[in-house]
Amino acid sequence: MTQPRPPMKPTRDPRVTLDDLVEVLLNKGAVLHLDLIVAVADIPLIGVSLRAAIAGMETMLEYGMLRQWDESTRAWAERSAGRRELELRAGETLVTRMSGGHLLEEGVYTGWRPGGVHLTDQRLVVLRRDPREVLFEAGVRDLRTVQLETETTVGGEQRTRLRVATLDGRTALLSAADPHGLHDALSSLNPALAALPPAPQGAPPGGLEGHLWYQEPRRGGPLWRGGKGRLGPTGLVWKSPLDARPGLVLVPEEILGARVEPGRSPGGDGQLVVVETASHGEVILAAEEPRRWAAALDATAAPEGTAGTAHPPGTPGAVV
């Protein structure tokens, strides 16, 4: 352990520059002695007596100052970093770690859940820090396919996502700070991974996502509202950016079919997407590519004889 140096001694030099002062503060330190009296009408009211030492942390520690504070701060930082890190198994090695997230695609409250993406030589894990939760986990050898997908956000930005599929049939859409690097790292760890085949135009297996207008039924008459729609194996979810929860959720069992009809559309092309539902009649949507959405919704419809299941408000399949 380094022994504390002798007490710092003040020096005075009126020719010093700002650079000299900064160098002294960082490398040697400075001691301030200040005695100040505030007077009004020659009557002293306030007295200030200040004794302060200013130096870089290394210098402070060398002189035996702030050691307890430094030790407690470093211990807190290590504990905080440990909460962000993935607990590795015996013999497991971390390959890469980056910020990212997992898209929750089931249930009413769907959406992106932010966290940290951890890739080891054994597992792919998306971990949320607070509250601590494993959002997604799969073994590297349990992955069947990996594919990079381009997604258009509500704001119109193009984002690259990573869709993974496992041998047990699970699929997940992940975001990552470096999706291409994560894709390459996964492929190098598991050479058997193959890219998912491109989904047919309008088909639901690969999902369809983009800006949608929803003609929301209201007492004073229907109202067009803009938002983001996502169509996947679990059905259609539409949500306005101003709402805390989705305004429209239709599961495949609720969808009877879809078609394109002429009409006044906020999309500007004069075509509407009309969705026939089992319990709520017609649901009217507008999109920049109405025929693509109609084809995908029609392909999502449940097989004949399985539709018609009603869903109470607040559950999947309800128009809320």
Side-chain angles (χ1 to χ4, degrees), residues 39-65:
V40 177
D42 295 331
I43 300 176
L45 296 178
I46 300 174
V48 178
S49 179
L50 178 64
R51 302 293 184 268
I54 304 175
M57 278 303 303
E58 292 184 2
T59 303
M60 284 287 196
L61 295 175
E62 288 178 359
Y63 281 94
M65 305 173 68

Side-chain angles (χ1 to χ4, degrees), residues 237-282:
V237 177
W238 176 89
K239 181 179 179 298
S240 167
L242 302 178
D243 297 339
R245 55 175 294 184
L248 173 67
V249 179
L250 294 174
V251 296
E253 292 79 10
E254 187 71 19
I255 301 173
L256 301 179
R259 65 185 184 275
V260 175
E261 289 187 356
R264 296 186 61 181
S265 165
D269 53 10
Q271 292 182 324
L272 302 176
V273 179
V274 181
V275 185
E276 292 286 349
T277 67
S279 305
H280 306 285
E282 295 182 345

Side-chain angles (χ1 to χ4, degrees), residues 147 149-152 158 163 197-212 229-232 236 257-261 269 271-275 285-301:
Q147 181 188 26
E149 294 185 0
T150 302
E151 174 196 28
T152 303
Q158 296 291 323
R163 183 172 293 278
Q201 186 76 359
L208 188 59
E209 190 168 358
H211 190 81
L212 274 183
R230 183 174 54 81
L231 179 63
L236 173 67
R259 65 185 184 275
V260 175
E261 289 187 356
D269 53 10
Q271 292 182 324
L272 302 176
V273 179
V274 181
V275 185
L285 308 170
E288 295 178 355
E289 300 178 275
R291 295 190 179 277
R292 184 183 181 192
W293 279 93
L297 284 162
D298 198 56
T300 306

